[in-house]
Every structure is written in structure tokens, then in C-alpha cells.
């Protein structure tokens, strides 16, 4: 079933993960999650998680000038972490080292 949202003043309809402006049908954005993006990168490139992970972590942090605090695990960084299982499903998330989400383990 279609889901209806607001994007600023625009009405957006999402059908099967495809977000379009309700009035014109023009693409309104993406509903792709970072978790699904990681799965796609591994599947479509055949590369390991370790190889593609910087594309979703350290590279974006560097692009926004936050790599001194985010994007990798190192002393003095924020300790915002995601724990994944073997199938790359999110099992837990941590913000500033504090668990804020715990899925089924």
C-alpha cells in the first residue's frame, strides 16, 4: 500500500521504496537505508565488508569535516557504533558508547 508523507510543503507518495512527488510523479528522494546500502555494495561488487565499509563511514565523515570525531573507531572519537550479524542485519546501535537499540541477538 502506498505511504504518504510531507517533504517540506510537498506531498510525497512512497510505493515499494520509491518516493515520488504526489502531484507530478517526479522522484522525491531515496528510501534506501545505510544498512541496505551496505548489503547492496557487498552483493553488487563482490568485495568484503571491510573493503566497502569506508564508503559509508569514514568517507562521509571526512566529506562533512567530522572525521576527527566520526567514521571510525579510535580513542577520542564519539563511539557511535552499529553491531551487525553475519547477514549484515543491525543487531545493536550505540551513541556515545551507550546502547540505544538492541535487536534480537
Amino acid at each position: 500500500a502506498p505511504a504518504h508523507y510531507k517533504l517540506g510543503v510537498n506531498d510525497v507518495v512512497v510505493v515499494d521504496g520509491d518516493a515520488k512527488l504526489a502531484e507530478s510523479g517526479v522522484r522525491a528522494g531515496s528510501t534506501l537505508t545505510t544498512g541496505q546500502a551496505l548489503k547492496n555494495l557487498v552483493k553488487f561488487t563482490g568485495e568484503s565488508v571491510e573493503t566497502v565499509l569506508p564508503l559509508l563511514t569514514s568517507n562521509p565523515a571526512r566529506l562533512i569535516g567530522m572525521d576527527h570525531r566520526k567514521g571510525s573507531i579510535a580513542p577520542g572519537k564519539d563511539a557511535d557504533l552499529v553491531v551487525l550479524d553475519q547477514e549484515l542485519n543491525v543487531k545493536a546501535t550505540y551513541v556515545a558508547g551507550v546502547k540505544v537499540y538492541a535487536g534480537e541477538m
Side-chain angles (χ1 to χ4, degrees), residues 4-27:
H4 300 271
Y5 300 94
K6 282 280 194 191
L7 180 62
V9 297
N10 298 300
D11 293 315
V12 174
V13 178
V14 177
V15 178
D16 295 328
D18 195 12
K20 295 183 177 180
L21 295 178
E23 188 173 307
S24 64
V26 171
R27 177 137 301 131

Side-chain angles (χ1 to χ4, degrees), residues 52-103:
V52 300
L53 196 59
L55 299 172
L56 301 168
T57 57
S58 58
N59 288 3
R62 188 172 41 259
L63 279 170
I64 63 168
M66 293 296 293
D67 53 322
H68 64 288
R69 294 183 46 199
K70 310 248 182 230
S72 61
I73 301 170
K77 291 201 172 185
D78 288 351
D80 298 337
L81 309 167
V82 178
V83 178
L84 305 171
D85 66 12
Q86 290 288 71
E87 288 78 40
L88 305 179
N89 299 306
V90 175
K91 292 300 171 182
T93 57
Y94 293 78
V95 175
V98 176
K99 186 184 281 188
V100 296
Y101 169 78

Side-chain angles (χ1 to χ4, degrees), residues 20-43:
K20 295 183 177 180
L21 295 178
E23 188 173 307
S24 64
V26 171
R27 177 137 301 131
S30 175
T31 60
L32 179 68
T33 64
T34 302
Q36 188 60 53
L38 176 61
K39 289 178 183 181
N40 290 351
L41 279 166
V42 170
K43 179 180 178 182

